[in-house]
Amino acid sequence: MVNISINTTQNVNINFVAASVGERLLAYLIDWIIKIAYVIVVYQLMFKAFNFEDWAKDMDQWSVGAVVVFFYLPAIFYSLIFESLLDGQTPGKRIIKIKVVKIDGYQASFPDFIVRWFFRIVDLNLFSGIIGLIAVVTSNKNQRIGDMTAGTGVIALKNKVNISHTILEELKEDYTPTYPSVIKLSDNDVRIIKETYLAAKKSKDYATLIKLRAKVIEVMEIRHQVESNDMEFISTVVKDYNYYTQNM
């Protein structure tokens, strides 16, 4: 089992299990089946349903070739299209529950996916994919050459670390923060607050929650009356910290 350590933008190290060679090959096979099915459907439509051969008689060879290539472009750019639209996954990767991520903790971007797609020529097309297979097996992070060049890796989502183990919080796009003074806290402060909050909540230790609330209010220098209860307040503080640090 190979681990990929990702240092997030909030200086939190999260260890993920890298997708194995078997998982990547299985996802690759599923994607190939989908591409083959697409090619068969396009062929049937072009040459059977729309009689492409008949109306292509009036076209020169280059025009015919251009039309054929146009219809097969989705198969050619399959991985680039889906990884861009599905946040680092193709249908095969989604079924196998693996995903492309940036090693530096940032979100993989379109240029990263372009680099990975371009190096498929070397990794997967030359010598029947032997180069890519050797790269993944010998890499300490199970990366093919395209991954190494783009600074990406492929992780197994079913083994990912739960976000509750870090200071990170999943926020809705329209999330509105409540306490601007939360920026007075540090990453370590929020980590301690979240760990204490989760432990107290699980054990129903309300006395600790009351003390934690009072201490947080003191550090954040909140002068007005806080209407929410202890658990709601602490949860909001952690989310607000994530909001402000992610948008700084």
Side-chain angles (χ1 to χ4, degrees):
M1 183 181 296
V2 178
N3 289 325
I4 296 179
S5 180
I6 296 178
N7 186 29
T8 72
T9 55
Q10 293 172 294
N11 294 320
V12 178
N13 284 317
I14 305 178
N15 289 318
F16 292 89
V17 176
S20 66
V21 175
E23 288 174 320
R24 296 183 67 154
L25 285 176
L26 190 54
Y28 179 74
L29 178 61
I30 292 173
D31 287 330
W32 255 107
I33 292 174
I34 294 174
K35 285 190 283 187
I36 291 173
Y38 171 81
V39 170
I40 292 174
V41 170
V42 169
Y43 177 84
Q44 292 296 325
L45 289 175
M46 288 181 65
F47 292 94
K48 303 295 182 181
F50 299 112
N51 296 316
F52 177 73
E53 290 180 329
D54 291 336
W55 55 270
K57 293 177 181 178
D58 299 326
M59 301 169 63
D60 59 72
Q61 185 176 357
W62 287 104
S63 297
V64 173
V67 172
V68 172
V69 170
F70 174 78
F71 279 102
Y72 287 116
L73 281 178
I76 297 172
F77 293 99
Y78 176 91
S79 63
L80 177 60
I81 293 170
F82 279 110
E83 286 181 356
S84 300
L85 295 177
L86 300 181
D87 192 23
Q89 291 182 296
T90 60
K93 288 185 176 71
R94 177 158 289 192
I95 291 172
I96 303 302
K97 298 187 185 305
I98 61 178
K99 176 182 179 179
V100 178
V101 297
K102 286 286 286 184
I103 298 299
D104 60 12
Y106 287 88
Q107 183 71 38
S109 61
F110 185 66
D112 300 318
F113 297 133
I114 289 179
V115 172
R116 296 187 79 255
W117 173 83
F118 180 78
F119 274 89
R120 291 173 69 89
I121 299 172
V122 177
D123 287 321
L124 305 176
N125 296 339
L126 292 181
F127 304 107
S128 301
I130 297 299
I131 294 178
L133 180 61
I134 293 175
V136 172
V137 172
T138 57
S139 169
N140 60 356
K141 293 182 179 179
N142 282 13
Q143 296 170 290
R144 62 179 177 85
I145 296 175
D147 287 317
M148 297 176 192
T149 308
T152 58
V154 181
I155 61 171
L157 294 179
K158 56 189 175 185
N159 294 312
K160 68 178 179 180
V161 175
N162 192 305
I163 196 169
S164 65
H165 295 163
T166 73
I167 67 172
L168 302 178
E169 287 286 334
E170 294 178 342
L171 303 178
K172 295 181 179 179
E173 292 184 3
D174 60 349
Y175 180 80
T176 303
T178 305
Y179 305 107
S181 59
V182 74
I183 60 175
K184 295 178 181 291
L185 303 175
S186 66
D187 282 357
N188 192 51
D189 292 334
V190 178
R191 179 184 60 79
I192 294 172
I193 290 169
K194 185 173 182 180
E195 289 177 354
T196 305
Y197 162 70
L198 291 176
K201 181 181 178 181
K202 184 177 181 180
S203 61
K204 297 182 179 180
D205 185 356
Y206 301 114
T208 296
L209 287 172
I210 293 172
K211 293 178 181 178
L212 179 62
R213 170 194 174 112
K215 184 62 177 178
V216 172
I217 290 176
E218 177 187 345
V219 174
M220 290 172 55
E221 299 180 354
I222 298 176
R223 305 303 182 189
H224 59 83
Q225 182 68 30
V226 177
E227 300 297 335
S228 56
N229 62 43
D230 300 332
M231 287 191 287
E232 289 175 349
F233 171 71
I234 299 300
S235 177
T236 300
V237 166
V238 175
K239 289 179 180 177
D240 282 2
Y241 183 82
N242 274 262
Y243 175 86
Y244 284 112
T245 53
Q246 290 174 15
N247 291 279
M248 294 177 86

